[in-house]
Amino acid sequence: MKIEQIYTGCLAQGAYYIVSNGEAAIIDPLRETQSYIDRMEKDNVKLKYIFETHFHADFVSGHVDLSKKTNAPIVYGPTAKPEFNAIIAEDNQIFEVGKIKIKVLHTPGHTMESSSFLLIDENGKDKALFSGDTLFLGDVGRPDLAQKAANMTQEELAGLLYDSLYKKILPLDDEIIVYPAHGAGSACGKNMQKETVDSLGNQKNTNYALNQKDKESFIKAVTDGLLPPPAYFGMNVAMNKKGYDSFDEVLSKGLHALSPEEFEEMAEHSGALILDVRNNIEFAKGFVPQSINIGLDGDFAPWVGALIVDVKQPILLITDENNEEETVTRLSRVGFDNVLGFLKGSFETWKSSGKEIDTVNRISATDFEKEIENKKVKIIDVRKESEYQAEHVDEAYNKPLAYMNEWINHVVPTEHFYLHCAGGYRSMMAASILQARGYRNFTEIEGGFNAIAQTDVPKSDFVCQSKVLK
């Protein structure tokens, strides 16, 4: 028997590849399926089942494409109602894969169809729990995402989650290995550990949600401090439930090379958003006017979802050369399938053609220190609230990037302000969106708070983030 965790850092997502005696099972696969097919060919195994722990909100699963390519059935837990052929398992139903068994444990709470999969080895011993978004390491799934579909409050869903965890998972053996669907950085939880695998026994000892005295305290603990979910989540759920275009078709369409003239014409007549995924340092030096910068070298896909929101939005790409396929792939993981093409030769061809370019007014932290000395200025810090609370520039306003589509409407065009994040990645996103929407009366700070911290700019007292988060 082999269990392989296939972890994707950009999404903080874990898919699982399980092999036993010539047969395989895959749990929560990513959108692009070729890597799974390559693994199975190398291992000379046949895919028997594709297990889905629930209808995912933060990414588009590869279940539909993988089933079409392999003829393996898709398996959901009880109450799931996908709009394509699938096996809807009963609670405690057993599926055999080679010499092992996979038992379905219906664990509603995160969503109503949420299920965990218990792996029983060839000796009949409970070996591993694929817990989906029911149980994370250090946390549990948020109970607020399925309120509308379930016709329930988040408190009622949290109560179901309590029953699932305390009645079905906690009674399992401590030695069982927990394989969750997500790790630290995912918006599907609020307090996940950086580790991606652990024993159930250790989680029983360390996970705050598994150490509540009663259901009432559990509900309060897991609903406290939940941030609003990213707006694209509902669209991803719909794609996972209804089906979607083939990834191969999406990739073929997106890899359409455009000359600067073709790119400009398509941008003018298609209503496409120009997405420049180069790093923030290169983008700051020059870019196609109206471009939005979301760097491929960070948490790219989740930020695309949070800031662009509409998965049907037509997109034109500017990438570093040879990064086109990677970019289209990562966009498709969160359902952004409408890529119309990319600028051939990257930004350099646009610049060489003599077409108009734009820049961001970016200064160093040292220059920022000089400019604000003995002056009253406005400073906007786009980091998360916990980062801001840990330490920030005195008198700075905290406007998290995740909420930019809300706070941008309150920016006063005539009032100059300074803009920063932690290192420049997020503030350049904010700067590009501001300029695309006509706001130019600001200065962005290169290196963000990390660089500012090395200057004598007045700052608040440092507070450990672990204390802030408690």
Side-chain angles (χ1 to χ4, degrees):
M1 180 185 70
K2 175 172 77 171
I3 300 173
E4 181 181 356
Q5 182 185 65
I6 305 169
Y7 199 79
T8 304
C10 181
L11 294 173
Q13 187 266 345
Y16 297 94
Y17 172 62
I18 304 161
V19 171
S20 174
N21 199 36
E23 294 183 334
I26 294 176
I27 300 175
D28 293 339
L30 273 186
R31 181 76 180 273
E32 65 276 18
T33 59
Q34 191 57 47
S35 64
Y36 307 118
I37 293 170
D38 291 344
R39 279 175 168 82
M40 290 185 288
E41 288 179 353
K42 180 182 177 183
D43 292 339
N44 193 28
V45 297
K46 178 179 175 60
L47 184 61
K48 192 169 184 182
Y49 296 112
I50 303 159
F51 291 97
E52 287 285 305
T53 55
H54 63 297
F55 295 122
H56 304 282
D58 61 313
F59 73 100
V60 178
S61 178
H63 55 313
V64 176
D65 273 357
L66 192 57
S67 181
K68 288 178 180 178
K69 290 183 177 182
T70 64
N71 292 318
I74 302 165
V75 180
Y76 281 97
T79 76
K81 295 178 181 179
E83 296 182 21
F84 44 80
N85 290 331
I87 297 171
I88 307 305
E90 296 179 0
D91 193 21
N92 295 316
Q93 185 171 340
I94 299 287
F95 292 85
E96 295 186 357
V97 179
K99 294 182 178 181
I100 67 169
K101 296 176 181 179
I102 293 178
K103 183 178 182 180
V104 178
L105 301 180
H106 188 209
T107 50
H110 174 65
T111 66
M112 293 304 291
E113 79 285 351
S114 283
S115 296
S116 302
F117 300 113
L118 180 64
L119 187 150
I120 304 167
D121 69 17
E122 56 192 68
N123 298 315
K125 182 176 176 58
D126 294 347
K127 193 75 174 180
L129 181 72
F130 302 92
S131 56
D133 283 22
T134 297
L135 174 63
F136 297 127
L137 305 188
D139 201 1
V140 294
R142 54 191 298 170
D144 61 320
L145 299 184
Q147 295 178 74
K148 185 176 180 181
N151 225 1
M152 299 170 72
T153 66
Q154 67 176 15
E155 286 76 19
E156 289 171 325
L157 282 162
L160 286 180
L161 185 59
Y162 174 87
D163 291 338
S164 295
L165 290 162
Y166 280 71
K167 294 179 181 179
K168 290 193 173 182
I169 291 180
L170 280 179
L172 298 173
D173 292 340
D174 288 359
E175 293 76 21
I176 288 174
I177 302 301
V178 177
Y179 293 104
H182 292 291
S186 169
C188 293
K190 61 181 180 179
N191 194 41
M192 298 185 217
Q193 298 171 202
K194 65 179 185 297
E195 294 81 10
T196 62
V197 60
D198 195 10
S199 70
L200 181 57
N202 192 50
Q203 285 302 301
K204 290 177 183 180
N205 291 328
T206 61
N207 191 319
Y208 78 96
L210 304 183
N211 286 279
Q212 299 299 317
K213 61 181 180 179
D214 53 32
K215 182 183 284 191
E216 184 179 354
S217 63
F218 174 89
I219 292 171
K220 186 178 187 306
V222 301
T223 57
D224 184 48
L226 286 173
L227 298 175
Y232 76 100
F233 270 23
M235 299 176 202
N236 275 199
V237 169
M239 292 177 74
N240 283 317
K241 190 173 184 179
K242 296 178 180 181
Y244 44 75
D245 292 336
S246 160
F247 170 72
D248 295 335
E249 294 174 5
V250 171
L251 186 61
S252 177
K253 175 185 171 185
L255 295 181
H256 179 45
L258 300 166
S259 68
E261 291 71 26
E262 293 169 327
F263 189 92
E264 184 175 44
E265 183 177 353
M266 189 170 285
E268 289 177 355
H269 294 100
S270 66
L273 179 147
I274 303 173
L275 179 61
D276 190 325
V277 306
R278 295 175 298 148
N279 72 58
N280 68 85
I281 296 172
E282 291 304 312
F283 183 85
K285 296 175 183 176
F287 54 89
V288 175
Q290 300 298 304
S291 297
I292 301 300
N293 176 234
I294 304 179
L296 196 63
D297 56 353
D299 290 334
F300 173 70
W303 278 121
V304 167
L307 297 174
I308 300 177
V309 179
D310 183 3
V311 297
K312 296 181 180 179
Q313 168 67 50
I315 293 173
L316 286 168
L317 289 177
I318 299 172
T319 78
D320 288 327
E321 289 195 80
N322 302 317
N323 273 352
E324 300 88 4
E325 182 171 344
E326 174 72 8
T327 305
V328 175
T329 297
R330 289 171 68 175
L331 284 168
S332 76
R333 290 174 182 168
V334 285
F336 287 80
D337 290 356
N338 199 9
V339 178
L340 306 181
F342 66 92
L343 180 60
K344 186 178 182 180
S346 191
F347 177 69
E348 289 306 313
T349 60
W350 181 274
K351 188 176 178 181
S352 299
S353 71
K355 294 186 180 297
E356 181 184 358
I357 64 172
D358 201 356
T359 57
V360 165
N361 182 21
R362 167 175 264 195
I363 63 171
S364 68
T366 304
D367 286 339
F368 170 63
E369 180 183 15
K370 294 175 183 175
E371 286 192 16
I372 70 169
E373 188 175 6
N374 299 321
K375 294 180 183 176
K376 186 170 181 60
V377 297
K378 184 174 183 178
I379 302 163
I380 293 180
D381 180 339
V382 300
R383 296 177 300 162
K384 293 187 293 185
E385 293 173 7
S386 59
E387 295 173 275
Y388 175 84
Q389 291 169 8
E391 188 178 19
H392 59 265
V393 175
D394 279 353
E395 306 299 325
Y397 293 89
N398 185 214
K399 302 287 185 182
L401 178 63
Y403 308 137
M404 186 171 185
N405 286 325
E406 300 168 15
W407 61 255
I408 192 172
N409 298 317
H410 302 290
V411 173
V412 180
T414 56
E415 185 179 27
H416 178 269
F417 60 91
Y418 292 90
L419 183 72
H420 78 84
C421 63
Y425 180 77
R426 287 171 286 178
S427 57
M428 189 54 70
M429 287 189 228
S432 67
I433 293 170
L434 283 162
Q435 291 198 180
R437 298 191 190 178
Y439 299 93
R440 304 189 70 91
N441 194 15
F442 66 89
T443 302
E444 190 262 352
I445 303 165
E446 183 176 9
F449 191 79
N450 294 338
I452 295 170
Q454 306 304 312
T455 70
D456 291 328
V457 171
K459 294 171 282 291
S460 66
D461 292 334
F462 175 73
V463 178
C464 178
Q465 286 200 46
S466 63
K467 294 181 180 178
V468 170
L469 291 169
K470 288 182 178 178

